[in-house]
Amino acid sequence: MQFVVIGITDNPRPSFSPEALECIEKGKVFSGGRRHHDIVQALLPQGARWIDITVPLDAVFEQYQSAGTDIVVFASGDPLFFGFANTLRRKMPEAKIVLYPSFNSLQMLAHRLLLAYHDMRIVSLTGRPWPELDRALIEHAPTIGILTDREHTPAAIAQRMLEYGYTAYTMHVGEHLGNPDEEQVTTLTLEEATQRTFTMPNCLILHSKHYTQSVNRIKLFGIPDNQFTLLDGREKMITKMPIRLLTLQALCLPQKHVLWDIGFCTGSVSIEARLQFPHLHVVAFEIRPECEAIMHENVCRFGAPGIEVHIGDFLEIDAESIPRPDAVFIGGHGGRLMEIMQKTLRYLTPDGCMVMNSVKAPKVVTDSHQLWDEACHKLGLRQEPATRIILNDNHPIEILKCKR
């Protein structure tokens, strides 16, 4: 079975290469979105059959399978650029595909702006959540091209960027690109974008000619403790910066995908992990409800969007729908370390690890290191040698780590 996939723009008077036109003239079964049908219907042969591409896609592919002939598919722009040709290859890997691409929308927007785009970071928010945009911002990509949808609008994107302090960008929005009657390109500040409504379809490019970072946007290898908002101003209620960095090292985060921070308090470990390793999905748990506002203030201050926060007793939280961790930091346990580790093990991936910091305070009958040893022994976990560190005149701290 063969698919001829033809890329088109929003131009209501499309032009095609002679090869693509010949495929259209000889075709019997055609497919595409309803907007595509409106554009090309005058070019279709008499008696042509049209299959709408709508969700659920399984029903569309059932029609393809029963068509009994080659199919000509119209798709937006370059069908291999977050496009339908990729879906075809995934759903019907044995099918032959002949491709006639057009420019994709971000290419056209860059052309209108005379903007070099060879190093542009591409993010699709079309039917997708925020993480890839968050990662691009945290990594300070100077040029970011974004495909939008009705939820992730230019206004919503601008609002998110302002909330987390990524203010050094200018936003360029392209609407109905390729349509000479309706095309519009607008350049505006993020503040202006939050007040505007743009028609669909649209896309945008974020660009900064001179990326000047404010003080709290300079990427530090270790955020100073005094920059965090603390719980009731208590300096002891934060994992100190040197300990924090050693903790992240013990978690082996460059190779991990999902980090659980159990007992986040100020959010210092979650935020440091998010900024140092933007690929991570960070999930933070805390029993004290007042810590939710503290976490929000700190993530906005340091520009760490995308941390998933859960408030409540960790042992009572339903974790079935939460991504399974391959790295877990236990920042607080309230004397229930065994139960917390036992529950965590139900979700920890086979190659995952758990890390906890233990303070060696004098005159303590049962310290957290002892509780850790007992839990590891009972749960059959393999411990790694502890790292012991003393900061200034504080009590010694041991960084404990275990695996299955």
Side-chain angles (χ1 to χ4, degrees):
M1 189 174 187
Q2 176 173 283
F3 289 88
V4 177
V5 186
I6 302 174
I8 62 174
T9 69
D10 258 19
N11 195 324
R13 298 173 290 278
S15 61
F16 299 106
S17 68
E19 295 83 2
L21 278 174
E22 183 179 358
C23 293
I24 295 172
E25 291 168 358
K26 293 181 177 179
K28 296 180 179 178
V29 179
F30 298 84
S31 187
R34 290 170 185 169
R35 180 168 56 90
H36 301 140
H37 183 256
D38 292 340
I39 293 173
V40 302
Q41 60 180 331
L43 298 175
L44 302 183
Q46 188 174 1
R49 177 188 173 192
W50 182 271
I51 300 174
D52 269 327
I53 298 177
T54 57
V55 291
L57 287 179
D58 287 346
V60 176
F61 280 91
E62 287 177 6
Q63 294 183 70
Y64 288 171
Q65 293 282 10
S66 62
T69 186
D70 295 344
I71 299 175
V72 178
V73 178
F74 295 96
S76 298
D78 181 351
L80 287 174
F81 183 79
F82 297 99
F84 194 68
N86 297 313
T87 306
L88 278 174
R89 296 178 68 193
R90 185 176 68 253
K91 293 277 193 178
M92 302 180 70
E94 303 302 320
K96 180 181 177 181
I97 296 178
V98 178
L99 190 67
Y100 297 100
S102 179
F103 288 120
N104 67 62
S105 58
L106 288 174
Q107 285 177 309
M108 288 192 288
L109 181 54
H111 295 163
R112 306 298 187 267
L113 298 168
L114 295 180
L115 178 66
Y117 62 90
H118 54 274
D119 60 348
M120 181 164 63
R121 182 79 166 266
I122 305 298
V123 172
S124 176
L125 294 178
T126 305
R128 293 173 168 87
W130 294 108
E132 284 307 309
L133 174 60
D134 294 342
R135 180 175 180 178
L137 294 173
I138 291 171
E139 293 176 348
H140 302 308
T143 306
I144 308 172
I146 305 176
L147 301 176
T148 64
D149 63 14
R150 296 187 183 280
E151 178 182 353
H152 302 92
T153 64
I157 292 166
Q159 185 62 50
R160 187 174 182 85
M161 294 174 67
L162 291 172
E163 180 179 3
Y164 292 101
Y166 289 97
T167 59
Y169 291 93
T170 297
M171 179 179 285
H172 308 279
V173 181
E175 303 167 82
H176 298 284
L177 293 168
N179 185 332
D181 303 322
E182 299 183 30
E183 177 178 301
Q184 187 169 351
V185 175
T186 309
T187 297
L188 62 173
T189 66
L190 298 180
E191 289 82 1
E192 291 169 339
T194 63
Q195 305 301 315
R196 293 282 298 271
T197 300
F198 296 91
T199 58
M200 295 291 292
N202 63 61
C203 66
L204 63 92
I205 293 176
L206 299 169
H207 181 63
S208 177
K209 291 182 179 179
H210 307 288
Y211 196 96
T212 55
Q213 301 171 344
S214 60
V215 173
N216 66 349
R217 281 296 171 272
I218 296 173
K219 187 169 183 179
L220 302 171
F221 186 65
I223 304 170
D225 300 332
N226 61 9
Q227 292 188 17
F228 284 94
T229 295
L230 304 176
L231 177 62
D232 298 327
R234 295 153 65 187
E235 295 181 0
K236 293 184 178 181
M237 299 300 290
I238 185 174
T239 302
K240 298 295 188 292
M241 186 257 284
I243 305 300
R244 197 185 316 137
L245 295 180
L246 285 172
T247 298
L248 299 187
Q249 184 276 332
L251 289 163
C252 298
L253 296 180
Q255 293 80 41
K256 303 301 183 181
H257 300 91
V258 179
L259 167 67
W260 281 11
D261 179 6
I262 302 173
F264 65 74
C265 192
T266 63
S268 64
V269 170
S270 289
I271 291 168
E272 194 83 69
R274 185 80 178 111
L275 295 179
Q276 298 297 338
F277 308 100
H279 70 282
L280 274 180
H281 185 123
V282 180
V283 185
F285 302 88
E286 175 57 54
I287 195 169
R288 290 167 289 206
E290 62 268 31
C291 289
E292 184 172 17
I294 294 172
M295 169 70 92
H296 182 70
E297 183 174 343
N298 284 326
V299 297
C300 291
R301 175 177 298 171
F302 299 111
I307 296 174
E308 182 180 337
V309 174
H310 295 270
I311 300 297
D313 188 336
F314 173 75
L315 295 175
E316 297 178 4
I317 291 175
D318 182 2
E320 292 301 322
S321 61
I322 299 174
R324 295 180 61 192
D326 48 9
V328 175
F329 173 63
I330 302 175
H333 56 79
R336 299 181 296 171
L337 182 60
M338 174 75 73
E339 294 92 332
I340 289 173
M341 293 177 69
Q342 194 168 29
K343 177 175 179 176
T344 300
L345 275 177
R346 299 208 304 266
Y347 303 98
L348 188 69
T349 61
D351 60 341
C353 66
M354 284 189 277
V355 170
M356 185 183 78
N357 298 332
S358 171
V359 180
K360 298 290 290 183
K363 300 179 182 180
V364 175
V365 178
T366 303
D367 64 15
S368 54
H369 195 159
Q370 182 179 341
L371 295 175
W372 173 271
D373 287 341
E374 292 171 356
C376 288
H377 177 74
K378 183 173 181 179
L379 298 173
L381 298 171
R382 175 170 54 88
Q383 295 193 60
E384 295 192 0
T387 299
R388 190 171 187 268
I389 185 172
I390 300 176
L391 291 179
N392 304 323
D393 297 327
N394 297 316
H395 299 307
I397 295 175
E398 293 181 309
I399 300 173
L400 312 175
K401 180 178 179 178
C402 68
K403 296 180 179 180
R404 291 184 182 276

